[in-house]
Amino acid sequence: AQTVTQSQPEMSVQEAETVTLSCTYDTSESDYYLFWYKQPPSRQMILVIRQEAYKQQNATENRFSVNFQKAAKSFSLKISDSQLGDAAMYFCAYRSVLTQGGSEKLVFGKGTKLTVNP
Amino acid sequence: SQTIHQWPATLVQPVGSPLSLECTVEGTSNPNLYWYRQAAGRGLQLLFYSVGIGQISSEVPQNLSASRPQDRQFILSSKKLLLSDSGFYLCAWSAPRTRFDRNPEAFFGQGTRLTVV
């Protein structure tokens, strides 16, 4: 079974600075999706960014970018020019590409709480 | 556009009472549906997922059950709540899968905060 590990329970960053959140995963599959979700204090889960494993190019969305290292099974999230509104729990998630065999599961890590200091 | 509705937002129930949380999706057909629980503001634990009417997969043996009586309706139930059932419950949906599907992300409801007293 696939597992997702976020080794940093909490992180903090100064406003306007850059922070990187770590995520590693374990899978025997070669094609899959990876996601970062954000959960602000409202507790609404918001998709931040996604990465297809078959793409070598790292995904970017404005100030958010990932460092996808497939061989190392690592998927870190970099937030540039951090803003107060970035303060939230961040979850890394994995989903298989396969269309059968329980592949519909979206597996989450335990999350990293990000604090942004003014 | 697709929307997901989850209710109630907050619920306080006594130990031993039944539970019914409902989730509905609009604007799509045959979605994959999920129930997650988040305890103590931490990680999301997948409880159940469904790829079609009447098709429920359980991830964790527990005091809860799920049903999908209609295509876009997903219900989380319990006959007798335990204190340990307290938590934040999230419903989510994702698009039905095809071989060339490249819209795999899940979209979440607003959540239900359940307190068992």
Side-chain angles (χ1 to χ4, degrees):
Chain A
Q2 293 81 16
T3 58
V4 177
T5 302
Q6 294 178 249
S7 60
Q8 306 155 315
E10 297 187 19
M11 291 281 287
S12 63
V13 63
Q14 290 297 125
E15 196 174 5
E17 297 293 308
T18 296
V19 64
T20 298
L21 308 183
S22 300
C23 173
T24 59
Y25 56 95
D26 184 27
T27 184
S28 59
E29 299 172 341
S30 60
D31 200 9
Y32 45 85
Y33 305 102
L34 296 165
F35 308 89
W36 279 98
Y37 280 86
K38 168 185 177 181
Q39 188 182 42
S42 67
R43 306 199 78 169
Q44 175 68 53
M45 292 288 287
I46 302 166
L47 177 68
V48 175
I49 200 166
R50 83 176 197 207
Q51 174 81 41
E52 289 93 336
Y54 73 93
K55 290 184 177 179
Q56 294 185 344
Q57 185 175 7
N58 290 322
T60 62
E61 287 288 342
N62 301 315
R63 298 182 294 108
F64 299 87
S65 61
V66 299
N67 183 5
F68 174 49
Q69 301 290 328
K70 190 172 184 179
K73 296 181 182 176
S74 171
F75 182 60
S76 61
L77 175 70
K78 185 173 79 172
I79 306 174
S80 304
D81 186 25
S82 297
Q83 301 175 359
L84 295 178
D86 295 332
M89 284 288 287
Y90 286 82
F91 293 96
C92 179
Y94 171 102
R95 182 176 182 183
S96 171
V97 167
L98 298 174
T99 57
Q100 60 184 355
S103 65
E104 309 307 332
K105 293 187 292 185
L106 186 60
V107 179
F108 284 83
K110 292 188 180 301
T112 297
K113 181 179 181 180
L114 178 66
T115 300
V116 181
N117 300 310
Chain B
S1 63
Q2 300 88 1
T3 57
I4 179 169
H5 303 280
Q6 182 181 347
W7 68 93
T10 305
L11 190 60
V12 180
Q13 290 285 95
V15 169
S17 64
L19 172 72
S20 180
L21 302 182
E22 190 163 343
C23 173
T24 60
V25 181
E26 297 177 356
T28 187
S29 297
N30 195 32
N32 301 314
L33 297 171
Y34 309 84
W35 278 111
Y36 287 88
R37 177 168 59 197
Q38 186 178 25
R42 296 301 299 176
L44 276 70
Q45 179 186 36
L46 179 61
L47 302 176
F48 302 94
Y49 68 96
S50 171
V51 299
I53 295 175
Q55 301 179 62
I56 309 294
S57 297
S58 174
E59 286 297 296
V60 183
Q62 58 208 329
N63 188 40
L64 302 170
S65 62
S67 62
R68 185 171 177 172
Q70 301 181 43
D71 181 44
R72 290 168 290 177
Q73 183 184 29
F74 206 25
I75 298 172
L76 182 68
S77 303
S78 174
K79 293 182 179 179
K80 290 184 178 181
L81 283 169
L82 306 172
L83 287 174
S84 58
D85 291 323
S86 294
F88 189 65
Y89 290 81
L90 283 159
C91 181
W93 75 273
S94 66
R97 304 300 303 280
T98 64
R99 182 176 181 179
F100 301 104
D101 173 61
R102 291 303 179 186
N103 295 289
E105 52 266 26
F107 301 94
F108 287 80
Q110 300 277 17
T112 297
R113 182 184 302 276
L114 171 66
T115 303
V116 182
V117 296

Short mmCIF file of all heavy atoms in Angstrom, two decimals, chain B residues 22-62:
data_model
loop_
_atom_site.label_atom_id
_atom_site.label_comp_id
_atom_site.label_asym_id
_atom_site.label_seq_id
_atom_site.Cartn_x
_atom_site.Cartn_y
_atom_site.Cartn_z
N GLU B 22 -24.56 13.57 5.73
CA GLU B 22 -24.90 13.45 4.32
C GLU B 22 -24.04 14.36 3.45
O GLU B 22 -23.66 15.47 3.85
CB GLU B 22 -26.37 13.78 4.10
CG GLU B 22 -26.87 13.46 2.70
CD GLU B 22 -28.38 13.40 2.63
OE1 GLU B 22 -29.04 13.29 3.68
OE2 GLU B 22 -28.91 13.47 1.50
N CYS B 23 -23.77 13.87 2.28
CA CYS B 23 -22.94 14.59 1.32
C CYS B 23 -23.56 14.41 -0.06
O CYS B 23 -23.92 13.29 -0.44
CB CYS B 23 -21.53 14.02 1.34
SG CYS B 23 -20.41 14.65 0.09
N THR B 24 -23.72 15.51 -0.78
CA THR B 24 -24.23 15.42 -2.15
C THR B 24 -23.36 16.25 -3.08
O THR B 24 -22.80 17.26 -2.69
CB THR B 24 -25.69 15.89 -2.26
OG1 THR B 24 -25.76 17.25 -1.84
CG2 THR B 24 -26.61 15.05 -1.41
N VAL B 25 -23.26 15.77 -4.30
CA VAL B 25 -22.48 16.44 -5.33
C VAL B 25 -23.41 16.84 -6.46
O VAL B 25 -24.30 16.08 -6.83
CB VAL B 25 -21.36 15.52 -5.85
CG1 VAL B 25 -20.52 16.23 -6.92
CG2 VAL B 25 -20.46 15.08 -4.70
N GLU B 26 -23.18 18.02 -7.00
CA GLU B 26 -23.97 18.50 -8.13
C GLU B 26 -23.06 18.83 -9.30
O GLU B 26 -21.91 19.20 -9.12
CB GLU B 26 -24.76 19.74 -7.73
CG GLU B 26 -25.79 19.51 -6.63
CD GLU B 26 -26.49 20.80 -6.22
OE1 GLU B 26 -26.12 21.87 -6.73
OE2 GLU B 26 -27.41 20.72 -5.38
N GLY B 27 -23.60 18.66 -10.50
CA GLY B 27 -22.87 19.09 -11.68
C GLY B 27 -21.95 18.05 -12.29
O GLY B 27 -21.17 18.38 -13.19
N THR B 28 -22.03 16.81 -11.84
CA THR B 28 -21.21 15.76 -12.41
C THR B 28 -21.95 14.43 -12.27
O THR B 28 -22.89 14.32 -11.48
CB THR B 28 -19.84 15.67 -11.72
OG1 THR B 28 -19.02 14.74 -12.43
CG2 THR B 28 -19.96 15.24 -10.27
N SER B 29 -21.53 13.44 -13.03
CA SER B 29 -22.15 12.13 -12.95
C SER B 29 -21.11 11.09 -12.58
O SER B 29 -19.94 11.20 -12.94
CB SER B 29 -22.76 11.75 -14.32
OG SER B 29 -23.79 12.64 -14.66
N ASN B 30 -21.59 10.07 -11.84
CA ASN B 30 -20.75 8.95 -11.46
C ASN B 30 -19.43 9.37 -10.82
O ASN B 30 -18.36 8.87 -11.18
CB ASN B 30 -20.47 8.05 -12.67
CG ASN B 30 -19.92 6.69 -12.27
OD1 ASN B 30 -20.26 6.18 -11.21
ND2 ASN B 30 -19.05 6.14 -13.09
N PRO B 31 -19.47 10.29 -9.87
CA PRO B 31 -18.21 10.69 -9.23
C PRO B 31 -17.71 9.60 -8.29
O PRO B 31 -18.48 8.76 -7.82
CB PRO B 31 -18.62 11.93 -8.44
CG PRO B 31 -20.05 11.66 -8.08
CD PRO B 31 -20.63 10.94 -9.27
N ASN B 32 -16.43 9.64 -8.02
CA ASN B 32 -15.89 8.89 -6.90
C ASN B 32 -16.14 9.72 -5.65
O ASN B 32 -15.95 10.93 -5.65
CB ASN B 32 -14.39 8.66 -7.07
CG ASN B 32 -14.07 7.91 -8.34
OD1 ASN B 32 -14.72 6.92 -8.67
ND2 ASN B 32 -13.10 8.41 -9.09
N LEU B 33 -16.57 9.04 -4.59
CA LEU B 33 -16.91 9.76 -3.36
C LEU B 33 -16.11 9.21 -2.19
O LEU B 33 -15.80 8.00 -2.14
CB LEU B 33 -18.41 9.62 -3.08
CG LEU B 33 -19.33 10.25 -4.14
CD1 LEU B 33 -20.79 9.89 -3.87
CD2 LEU B 33 -19.15 11.77 -4.16
N TYR B 34 -15.77 10.09 -1.28
CA TYR B 34 -14.88 9.73 -0.17
C TYR B 34 -15.41 10.31 1.14
O TYR B 34 -15.96 11.42 1.18
CB TYR B 34 -13.47 10.31 -0.39
CG TYR B 34 -12.84 10.01 -1.73
CD1 TYR B 34 -13.12 10.79 -2.84
CD2 TYR B 34 -11.96 8.94 -1.88
CE1 TYR B 34 -12.54 10.53 -4.07
CE2 TYR B 34 -11.38 8.67 -3.11
CZ TYR B 34 -11.67 9.47 -4.20
OH TYR B 34 -11.09 9.20 -5.42
N TRP B 35 -15.16 9.57 2.23
CA TRP B 35 -15.31 10.10 3.57
C TRP B 35 -13.95 10.01 4.27
O TRP B 35 -13.34 8.94 4.31
CB TRP B 35 -16.33 9.32 4.40
CG TRP B 35 -17.75 9.70 4.15
CD1 TRP B 35 -18.72 8.95 3.56
CD2 TRP B 35 -18.40 10.92 4.54
NE1 TRP B 35 -19.90 9.63 3.52
CE2 TRP B 35 -19.74 10.84 4.13
CE3 TRP B 35 -17.97 12.08 5.19
CZ2 TRP B 35 -20.66 11.86 4.34
CZ3 TRP B 35 -18.88 13.09 5.41
CH2 TRP B 35 -20.21 12.99 4.99
N TYR B 36 -13.53 11.15 4.82
CA TYR B 36 -12.29 11.22 5.60
C TYR B 36 -12.63 11.70 7.00
O TYR B 36 -13.58 12.44 7.22
CB TYR B 36 -11.29 12.21 4.99
CG TYR B 36 -10.63 11.76 3.72
CD1 TYR B 36 -11.21 11.99 2.48
CD2 TYR B 36 -9.40 11.09 3.76
CE1 TYR B 36 -10.59 11.59 1.31
CE2 TYR B 36 -8.77 10.68 2.59
CZ TYR B 36 -9.37 10.94 1.37
OH TYR B 36 -8.76 10.53 0.22
N ARG B 37 -11.77 11.31 7.96
CA ARG B 37 -11.86 11.85 9.30
C ARG B 37 -10.53 12.49 9.64
O ARG B 37 -9.46 11.93 9.36
CB ARG B 37 -12.19 10.77 10.34
CG ARG B 37 -12.23 11.31 11.77
CD ARG B 37 -12.85 10.30 12.72
NE ARG B 37 -12.13 9.05 12.75
CZ ARG B 37 -12.62 7.91 13.24
NH1 ARG B 37 -13.85 7.88 13.72
NH2 ARG B 37 -11.90 6.82 13.24
N GLN B 38 -10.62 13.64 10.28
CA GLN B 38 -9.44 14.36 10.72
C GLN B 38 -9.56 14.56 12.22
O GLN B 38 -10.45 15.27 12.70
CB GLN B 38 -9.33 15.70 10.01
CG GLN B 38 -8.05 16.45 10.30
CD GLN B 38 -7.98 17.75 9.52
OE1 GLN B 38 -9.00 18.32 9.14
NE2 GLN B 38 -6.77 18.23 9.27
N ALA B 39 -8.69 13.93 12.96
CA ALA B 39 -8.73 14.01 14.42
C ALA B 39 -7.69 15.01 14.90
O ALA B 39 -6.58 15.07 14.37
CB ALA B 39 -8.46 12.64 15.04
N ALA B 40 -8.07 15.81 15.88
CA ALA B 40 -7.15 16.73 16.56
C ALA B 40 -6.37 17.61 15.59
O ALA B 40 -5.21 17.88 15.83
CB ALA B 40 -6.19 15.93 17.44
N GLY B 41 -7.02 18.06 14.51
CA GLY B 41 -6.37 18.98 13.58
C GLY B 41 -5.18 18.40 12.86
O GLY B 41 -4.33 19.15 12.38
N ARG B 42 -5.11 17.10 12.74
CA ARG B 42 -3.95 16.50 12.09
C ARG B 42 -4.33 15.85 10.78
O ARG B 42 -5.11 16.37 10.03
CB ARG B 42 -3.30 15.51 13.07
CG ARG B 42 -2.74 16.17 14.31
CD ARG B 42 -1.68 17.21 14.00
NE ARG B 42 -0.54 16.65 13.32
CZ ARG B 42 0.47 17.39 12.87
NH1 ARG B 42 0.45 18.68 12.99
NH2 ARG B 42 1.51 16.80 12.28
N GLY B 43 -3.77 14.69 10.51
CA GLY B 43 -3.88 14.09 9.19
C GLY B 43 -5.27 13.60 8.86
O GLY B 43 -6.14 13.45 9.72
N LEU B 44 -5.48 13.35 7.56
CA LEU B 44 -6.74 12.85 7.07
C LEU B 44 -6.69 11.33 6.96
O LEU B 44 -5.84 10.78 6.28
CB LEU B 44 -7.06 13.43 5.70
CG LEU B 44 -7.72 14.82 5.69
CD1 LEU B 44 -6.75 15.88 6.12
CD2 LEU B 44 -8.28 15.14 4.33
N GLN B 45 -7.62 10.71 7.61
CA GLN B 45 -7.73 9.26 7.56
C GLN B 45 -8.88 8.89 6.64
O GLN B 45 -10.03 9.29 6.86
CB GLN B 45 -7.98 8.71 8.97
CG GLN B 45 -8.14 7.20 9.03
CD GLN B 45 -8.53 6.72 10.41
OE1 GLN B 45 -9.27 7.37 11.12
NE2 GLN B 45 -8.02 5.56 10.79
N LEU B 46 -8.59 8.13 5.60
CA LEU B 46 -9.64 7.69 4.68
C LEU B 46 -10.48 6.63 5.36
O LEU B 46 -9.97 5.61 5.82
CB LEU B 46 -9.02 7.15 3.40
CG LEU B 46 -9.98 6.61 2.35
CD1 LEU B 46 -10.93 7.70 1.86
CD2 LEU B 46 -9.21 6.00 1.18
N LEU B 47 -11.79 6.87 5.42
CA LEU B 47 -12.71 5.93 6.05
C LEU B 47 -13.37 5.03 5.01
O LEU B 47 -13.36 3.82 5.13
CB LEU B 47 -13.78 6.70 6.82
CG LEU B 47 -13.31 7.63 7.92
CD1 LEU B 47 -14.49 8.37 8.52
CD2 LEU B 47 -12.55 6.87 8.98
N PHE B 48 -13.97 5.65 4.02
CA PHE B 48 -14.69 4.92 2.97
C PHE B 48 -14.51 5.63 1.64
O PHE B 48 -14.33 6.85 1.60
CB PHE B 48 -16.20 4.86 3.27
CG PHE B 48 -16.55 4.22 4.58
CD1 PHE B 48 -16.74 5.01 5.71
CD2 PHE B 48 -16.71 2.85 4.69
CE1 PHE B 48 -17.07 4.44 6.92
CE2 PHE B 48 -17.03 2.27 5.89
CZ PHE B 48 -17.20 3.07 7.01
N TYR B 49 -14.58 4.85 0.56
CA TYR B 49 -14.68 5.46 -0.74
C TYR B 49 -15.60 4.61 -1.61
O TYR B 49 -15.79 3.42 -1.36
CB TYR B 49 -13.31 5.69 -1.40
CG TYR B 49 -12.56 4.45 -1.80
CD1 TYR B 49 -12.61 3.95 -3.10
CD2 TYR B 49 -11.75 3.79 -0.88
CE1 TYR B 49 -11.90 2.84 -3.46
CE2 TYR B 49 -11.03 2.68 -1.24
CZ TYR B 49 -11.11 2.20 -2.52
OH TYR B 49 -10.40 1.09 -2.89
N SER B 50 -16.15 5.27 -2.63
CA SER B 50 -17.15 4.61 -3.47
C SER B 50 -16.94 5.03 -4.92
O SER B 50 -16.79 6.21 -5.21
CB SER B 50 -18.55 5.01 -3.01
OG SER B 50 -19.52 4.54 -3.93
N VAL B 51 -16.97 4.05 -5.81
CA VAL B 51 -16.82 4.34 -7.23
C VAL B 51 -18.14 4.23 -7.97
O VAL B 51 -18.21 4.48 -9.18
CB VAL B 51 -15.78 3.42 -7.90
CG1 VAL B 51 -14.41 3.62 -7.25
CG2 VAL B 51 -16.19 1.96 -7.81
N GLY B 52 -19.22 3.87 -7.26
CA GLY B 52 -20.53 3.79 -7.89
C GLY B 52 -21.59 3.46 -6.87
O GLY B 52 -21.30 3.13 -5.71
N ILE B 53 -22.85 3.51 -7.30
CA ILE B 53 -23.97 3.23 -6.41
C ILE B 53 -23.82 1.85 -5.81
O ILE B 53 -23.60 0.87 -6.53
CB ILE B 53 -25.31 3.34 -7.18
CG1 ILE B 53 -25.54 4.77 -7.65
CG2 ILE B 53 -26.47 2.89 -6.30
CD1 ILE B 53 -26.77 4.93 -8.51
N GLY B 54 -23.95 1.79 -4.50
CA GLY B 54 -23.88 0.52 -3.81
C GLY B 54 -22.49 -0.07 -3.69
O GLY B 54 -22.31 -1.14 -3.09
N GLN B 55 -21.49 0.60 -4.23
CA GLN B 55 -20.11 0.09 -4.17
C GLN B 55 -19.34 0.89 -3.13
O GLN B 55 -18.97 2.04 -3.36
CB GLN B 55 -19.43 0.21 -5.53
CG GLN B 55 -20.13 -0.53 -6.66
CD GLN B 55 -19.42 -0.34 -7.97
OE1 GLN B 55 -18.26 -0.72 -8.14
NE2 GLN B 55 -20.11 0.25 -8.94
N ILE B 56 -19.10 0.26 -1.99
CA ILE B 56 -18.43 0.93 -0.88
C ILE B 56 -17.21 0.13 -0.49
O ILE B 56 -17.29 -1.08 -0.30
CB ILE B 56 -19.36 1.04 0.35
CG1 ILE B 56 -20.72 1.63 -0.03
CG2 ILE B 56 -18.68 1.85 1.45
CD1 ILE B 56 -20.68 3.06 -0.48
N SER B 57 -16.09 0.81 -0.36
CA SER B 57 -14.87 0.19 0.14
C SER B 57 -14.53 0.81 1.49
O SER B 57 -14.52 2.03 1.61
CB SER B 57 -13.71 0.40 -0.84
OG SER B 57 -13.96 -0.22 -2.08
N SER B 58 -14.29 -0.05 2.46
CA SER B 58 -13.98 0.40 3.80
C SER B 58 -12.48 0.28 4.04
O SER B 58 -11.89 -0.74 3.73
CB SER B 58 -14.73 -0.44 4.83
OG SER B 58 -14.33 -0.10 6.15
N GLU B 59 -11.92 1.33 4.58
CA GLU B 59 -10.48 1.34 4.82
C GLU B 59 -10.11 0.99 6.25
O GLU B 59 -9.03 0.45 6.49
CB GLU B 59 -9.91 2.72 4.47
CG GLU B 59 -9.84 2.99 2.99
CD GLU B 59 -8.91 2.02 2.29
OE1 GLU B 59 -7.70 2.04 2.58
OE2 GLU B 59 -9.39 1.24 1.45
N VAL B 60 -10.97 1.32 7.18
CA VAL B 60 -10.63 1.15 8.59
C VAL B 60 -11.80 0.48 9.31
O VAL B 60 -12.89 1.03 9.32
CB VAL B 60 -10.30 2.49 9.26
CG1 VAL B 60 -9.89 2.27 10.70
CG2 VAL B 60 -9.20 3.23 8.49
N PRO B 61 -11.59 -0.67 9.93
CA PRO B 61 -12.67 -1.30 10.71
C PRO B 61 -13.04 -0.41 11.89
O PRO B 61 -12.18 0.05 12.61
CB PRO B 61 -12.05 -2.60 11.21
CG PRO B 61 -10.81 -2.80 10.42
CD PRO B 61 -10.37 -1.46 9.93
N GLN B 62 -14.31 -0.13 12.04
CA GLN B 62 -14.68 0.82 13.08
C GLN B 62 -16.18 0.79 13.28
O GLN B 62 -16.88 -0.06 12.76
CB GLN B 62 -14.26 2.22 12.66
CG GLN B 62 -14.90 2.63 11.35
CD GLN B 62 -14.03 3.62 10.63
OE1 GLN B 62 -13.32 4.40 11.23
NE2 GLN B 62 -14.08 3.60 9.32
#
